Amino acid sequence: MVKNRLDELRKSKGISQEELAAVLEVSRQTIGSLENGRYNPSITLAFKIAKYFELSIEDIFIYEEE
């Protein structure tokens, strides 16, 4: 299972799901699904998110064995 800090990071920057989606070139629904844990990003999207927040992928996405 992969958890993430996307919601927390996005809110700390004061940006909406729509704004983040535009920057990452994905839909707002994709951002919502990521934040709710219903969707895991492709490796490409994970790198884009990490670059945007200036963090490592591991700082955003946390893998937990079930």
Side-chain angles (χ1 to χ4, degrees), residues 1-3 61-66:
M1 172 180 242
V2 177
K3 295 188 176 183
F61 298 95
I62 301 100
Y63 175 73
E64 294 180 349
E65 290 192 36
E66 295 187 28

Side-chain angles (χ1 to χ4, degrees), residues 3-5 8-9 15 27 30-31 35 46-47 60 66:
K3 295 188 176 183
N4 70 70
R5 299 175 49 220
E8 164 197 341
L9 293 168
I15 61 171
S27 70
T30 297
I31 300 301
E35 289 183 355
F47 273 109
I60 301 169
E66 295 187 28

Side-chain angles (χ1 to χ4, degrees), residues 52-63:
Y52 177 77
F53 288 107
E54 299 178 335
L55 294 167
S56 72
I57 289 174
E58 293 86 356
D59 287 335
I60 301 169
F61 298 95
I62 301 100
Y63 175 73

Side-chain angles (χ1 to χ4, degrees), residues 12-31:
S12 74
K13 271 197 178 265
I15 61 171
S16 68
Q17 287 184 341
E18 290 84 359
E19 290 168 313
L20 182 57
V23 169
L24 298 174
E25 301 175 315
V26 297
S27 70
R28 187 209 54 78
Q29 288 83 359
T30 297
I31 300 301

Side-chain angles (χ1 to χ4, degrees), residues 43-54:
I43 192 69
T44 303
L45 180 54
F47 273 109
K48 281 184 170 183
I49 292 167
K51 184 176 180 185
Y52 177 77
F53 288 107
E54 299 178 335

